[in-house]
Amino acid sequence: MSAILTKLRNVLVPAETKKSDDGRDQWPSRTAFLLASLGGAVGQGNIIRYPSQVFNNVGLQWFIPYLMAIFLLAIPTLILEVAIGQAYRGGAVAAYNNMNRRLRGVGLASIMVSAVVVVYFVIILVWIMTYFRHSFTSPLPWTDRTEEFYYTQVLRQVDPTPGVISPNGVESFFSYSGMGLIGEAVGWSAFIWFCVYLCMFNGVGITGRAAYFTMALPIFMTIILLGRCCSLENAGRGIKLYFATWDSDSIASGQLWQTATGQVFFSTGVGFGYYIAYASYNSKWANAVQDATIIVCSNCLFETIAAFAVFGVVGYLDINPSNTPRLGAFEIGFLTYPAAIAAMPGANFWAVLFFLTLMLLGISSTYPMLDVIVTAIMDRYHHKVARPLVAAVLVVVAFLISLMYCTQFGYYLLDGVDRWINNLALVFVVWSELSLSTTVYRFKDVFTETGKPAWTIYNGGYFLGQILGVAVGHSVSGGAGAGLGIGIYVLGAVISVFLCKTPSAPAPRFWNNNAYLKRFWFLAFYSGNQLRRDLNVIVGSGKNWNIPVFWSPLIRYVSAPILFIVYSLAYPEFWTLRNDPVYVFGFILAHFCLIFAVVALVLPRYYDVFVPMHRLDDGKRIAAPGVLENLIVGQAEDAAEAGSRSPKSSDDELKGEKP
């Protein structure tokens, strides 16, 4: 018996974790890394949130902004996160510190986002497990009473006393009387946190094995559900609504573009820091660009295909946007789906399969968020603490904090925190990643070539244009805001070019045609382009996919401004919710993440405590315009000699490079 148990333990828990050449833990295989990363992206939101967004904007026109967001936002951002995690061999704080010490706050902010979300994310799994338990009861207890069952037996919520906002301001605040703990919710929460611990306590060795179960099995079960739901009576009506309807008028709707962009952004899972942490356990020379593309495309393909199941249910229930109010993710998952399942032959089987699928997908999205914190602690204290102990302490602390969501007002609290963490904090973190990484990376090179005043004025115009542009866009009109924002940027660019001294280092071929073009290239493109070149030495080696030339201009001048506009859209909504304490709490909590990112720009030394002691100086670089970083740090015996004979580091390569 003991021999059997030992063999079982060796299957589930690897006796020895694979190591990279630098001694860092390494994934047992590339498939394990991809599945674990996909687990962070693919969750129950792909099955219930995505269909709700499509239903509310139904028609093929949805896929125009959706596909544009995939290629303009999701893939470029994920390339950045996977590449820096893999190249700089550390979690979010260590990786961003390696780019520049002033970016430490961005890494810390992404960890805080994960810490806040993971605590309330578990309560959704608690609701799923409550349904799962009742799925073994025949007939299903929510038959013909889906709303009553959800609100009274699952959420057990007590409605608050509404507050009042008058033209004179807030007259009274919402009052929540249902403060009691829900016993079943506490029990399921403890069970889920224990499962999370089992998936990540011993590092990527066990996480890689857990990913095969928490991702591969749900995909198989989703295929079964897809076949059943698409074979329901009148399922074709819903599928036609999804994939054979066209509404050209809605293309001009800002809501369609905002919703599709938000769905891609939140579904992909960038900004949480777990891609950086997971990529740091890759082989240093892995194919980061290809991996990032596979993760994004697989995630979007999964949710696009899985949505056919929901629209089969939509046709079966004969609902559509003309006869049904807007559907949210929770309505799809806990009202629409259960109502259809209760009416199916073999209802109990389909209920068990559906909620088990949601639970496993939810677990696969939960442990990556906790792993972000574990990786940061292990990076900081290196071998001084045991990973299983760190994971255990974090799980216990997270469980205790999550108890506030296991109350009768937990649903309201979740909504209040989730709204602002997603719409404010997360968007701001990713905007900071994209805009700051292409601004401060190796900025001493730009100082040397252009002068500090020119660099300051140019970047001042870049950031001020976005801030004042969206402010005027909200207060006056979108056209006025766009005009002002672009005008400020252009004015700053023109002034800085005339103040700038002519760089002595070469620029790519087109930009070397005259002094003004050369000055502009160094101010506008140098930092991002040099980041791309330095990363490509590692992640683009051999037959790996290279980060393309257009990547850095794309994330700086397209992706970042789009995200800042999305970020700004959250603030007007707060004005209508300012008399609700749970929304005020979530709003304040979200801004702590913003403060973490901003303070580090000015006072990076205050963040030394979060950075591994032996890596405090990683973000400090001497000025060496146009020279690849591996040459700066002495990986070649003679930088000048190596630069003259290495195609990747020579001036000839730079001159021949397309802008």
Side-chain angles (χ1 to χ4, degrees):
M1 185 65 180
S2 61
I4 295 175
L5 292 175
T6 300
K7 289 182 180 179
L8 180 62
R9 181 190 180 280
N10 290 336
V11 170
L12 298 177
V13 183
E16 186 175 338
T17 303
K18 188 177 178 181
K19 300 286 184 181
S20 296
D21 293 339
D22 57 3
R24 191 173 182 82
D25 288 354
Q26 184 173 322
W27 292 100
S29 66
R30 184 187 186 190
T31 303
F33 163 69
L34 290 173
L35 283 177
S37 299
L38 271 173
V42 176
Q44 67 259 35
N46 296 74
I47 293 182
I48 59 179
R49 187 182 191 274
Y50 174 81
S52 71
Q53 302 299 317
V54 179
F55 180 87
N56 297 328
N57 300 274
V58 72
L60 276 173
Q61 70 282 348
W62 159 269
F63 289 96
I64 295 176
Y66 179 74
L67 291 173
M68 289 180 65
I70 289 173
F71 291 102
L72 296 180
L73 289 177
I75 293 178
T77 304
L78 194 56
I79 287 174
L80 173 65
E81 294 194 354
V82 174
I84 64 173
Q86 180 176 310
Y88 298 143
R89 319 303 292 157
V93 174
Y96 280 111
N97 173 71
N98 211 108
M99 291 178 68
N100 188 286
R101 55 200 295 264
R102 297 183 185 276
L103 296 181
R104 297 168 177 177
V106 177
L108 190 61
S110 66
I111 292 174
M112 183 176 178
V113 168
S114 277
V116 173
V117 172
V118 74
V119 170
Y120 71 72
F121 190 80
V122 165
I123 194 61
I124 303 173
L125 299 184
V126 167
W127 302 338
I128 291 170
M129 292 306 297
T130 304
Y131 271 93
F132 180 75
R133 178 177 72 84
H134 286 286
S135 297
F136 293 94
T137 303
S138 184
L140 293 172
W142 59 81
T143 304
D144 298 326
R145 51 187 288 269
T146 51
E147 290 193 19
E148 179 188 353
F149 179 82
Y150 177 50
Y151 291 111
T152 62
Q153 289 188 242
V154 178
L155 301 182
R156 302 187 191 181
Q157 66 183 31
V158 176
D159 293 333
T161 302
V164 177
I165 298 179
S166 70
N168 298 323
V170 177
E171 293 188 3
S172 63
F173 288 87
F174 275 73
S175 175
Y176 293 88
S177 57
M179 306 293 287
L181 280 172
I182 303 171
E184 182 175 5
V186 173
W188 281 124
S189 180
F191 169 76
I192 292 164
W193 282 116
F194 178 68
C195 292
V196 169
Y197 177 77
L198 292 180
C199 291
M200 44 75 71
F201 77 94
N202 202 33
V204 293
I206 192 169
T207 300
R209 296 191 181 187
Y212 284 96
F213 179 75
T214 59
M215 272 305 300
L217 185 59
I219 290 173
F220 175 72
M221 293 190 292
T222 300
I223 293 172
I224 297 175
L225 284 169
L226 181 66
R228 181 66 184 97
C229 293
C230 290
S231 65
L232 292 170
E233 183 180 358
N234 296 320
R237 288 186 303 202
I239 295 173
K240 182 179 179 180
L241 202 64
Y242 178 36
F243 239 74
T245 305
W246 175 261
D247 181 7
S248 57
D249 293 338
S250 66
I251 289 292
S253 168
Q255 179 184 345
L256 173 67
W257 290 83
Q258 181 186 356
T259 304
T261 299
Q263 172 59 33
V264 170
F265 181 72
F266 302 130
S267 173
T268 304
V270 292
F272 286 94
Y274 50 73
Y275 290 119
I276 300 175
Y278 277 0
S280 72
Y281 299 113
N282 261 346
S283 164
K284 188 174 183 177
W285 312 103
N287 199 340
V289 178
Q290 188 180 80
D291 287 346
T293 305
I294 290 172
I295 292 168
V296 174
C297 293
S298 298
N299 172 65
C300 295
L301 183 64
F302 177 86
E303 65 184 9
T304 300
I305 294 175
F308 278 96
V310 172
F311 279 92
V313 169
V314 164
Y316 176 64
L317 297 177
D318 193 22
I319 60 176
N320 58 69
S322 64
N323 63 19
T324 304
R326 293 178 64 85
L327 292 177
F330 293 158
E331 283 83 357
I332 290 282
F334 299 115
L335 298 177
T336 305
Y337 242 126
I341 288 172
M344 293 180 190
N348 290 92
F349 171 79
W350 297 111
V352 168
L353 187 66
F354 175 66
F355 289 110
L356 181 60
T357 302
L358 289 186
M359 190 274 284
L360 290 174
L361 287 174
I363 291 290
S364 74
S365 298
T366 304
Y367 60 77
M369 287 186 278
L370 200 65
D371 241 338
V372 173
I373 311 172
V374 175
T375 298
I377 294 173
M378 297 306 297
D379 283 347
R380 173 63 178 81
Y381 294 101
H382 209 39
H383 299 298
K384 296 180 181 179
V385 292
R387 185 184 180 97
L389 178 61
V390 172
V393 171
L394 284 175
V395 163
V396 172
V397 171
F399 165 70
L400 294 176
I401 297 174
S402 69
L403 292 179
M404 64 182 178
Y405 296 101
C406 298
T407 58
Q408 293 170 312
F409 80 107
Y411 172 85
Y412 298 106
L413 182 60
L414 182 152
D415 188 53
V417 175
D418 177 72
R419 184 179 303 240
W420 304 119
I421 289 294
N422 277 307
N423 294 349
L424 283 177
L426 183 58
V427 178
F428 184 85
V429 166
V430 181
W431 173 78
S432 300
E433 289 183 22
L434 302 183
S435 58
L436 294 179
S437 63
T438 52
T439 300
V440 302
Y441 183 74
R442 292 183 63 169
F443 68 94
K444 290 182 180 179
D445 292 356
V446 188
F447 282 5
T448 301
E449 296 298 306
T450 66
K452 189 174 182 179
W455 181 90
T456 303
I457 292 172
Y458 179 86
N459 287 288
Y462 171 77
F463 288 104
L464 191 62
Q466 293 181 62
I467 295 170
L468 295 183
V470 298
V472 171
H474 285 297
S475 58
V476 181
S477 69
L484 178 65
I486 295 173
I488 291 174
Y489 166 72
V490 171
L491 179 63
V494 170
I495 293 174
S496 62
V497 166
F498 278 100
L499 285 178
C500 179
K501 62 182 183 181
T502 302
S504 58
R509 183 173 49 197
F510 168 79
W511 302 98
N512 263 325
N513 285 339
N514 64 61
Y516 293 106
L517 285 175
K518 192 174 185 180
R519 294 174 186 179
F520 179 74
W521 184 84
F522 268 89
L523 291 169
F525 302 119
Y526 176 83
S527 289
N529 188 64
Q530 197 62 41
L531 174 62
R532 175 190 67 85
R533 295 179 70 226
D534 287 343
L535 289 175
N536 269 340
V537 172
I538 300 172
V539 303
S541 62
K543 296 183 179 180
N544 289 356
W545 289 10
N546 279 285
I547 302 175
V549 173
F550 61 80
W551 171 78
S552 56
L554 176 65
I555 64 175
R556 181 167 174 82
Y557 297 106
V558 179
S559 305
I562 289 174
L563 286 175
F564 198 77
I565 293 171
V566 173
Y567 164 75
S568 71
L569 295 173
Y571 280 98
E573 186 181 16
F574 175 73
W575 193 247
T576 64
L577 300 169
R578 67 189 188 280
N579 68 329
D580 194 328
V582 297
Y583 290 107
V584 174
F585 171 72
F587 189 77
I588 294 172
L589 191 62
H591 280 79
F592 275 104
C593 300
L594 277 64
I595 293 171
F596 277 131
V598 172
V599 170
L601 284 173
V602 183
L603 300 168
R605 67 181 183 277
Y606 286 8
Y607 291 74
D608 285 356
V609 67
F610 301 107
V611 181
M613 297 301 294
H614 63 289
R615 300 187 60 176
L616 283 174
D617 295 331
D618 282 2
K620 298 178 181 179
R621 294 175 174 84
I622 62 172
V627 180
L628 291 176
E629 185 176 25
N630 69 316
L631 300 181
I632 296 174
V633 298
Q635 291 184 8
E637 293 181 0
D638 186 329
E641 181 183 350
S644 66
R645 68 170 182 264
S646 171
K648 283 195 171 184
S649 61
S650 68
D651 290 347
D652 292 338
E653 182 268 352
L654 188 60
K655 291 177 182 177
E657 190 174 63
K658 293 182 179 179

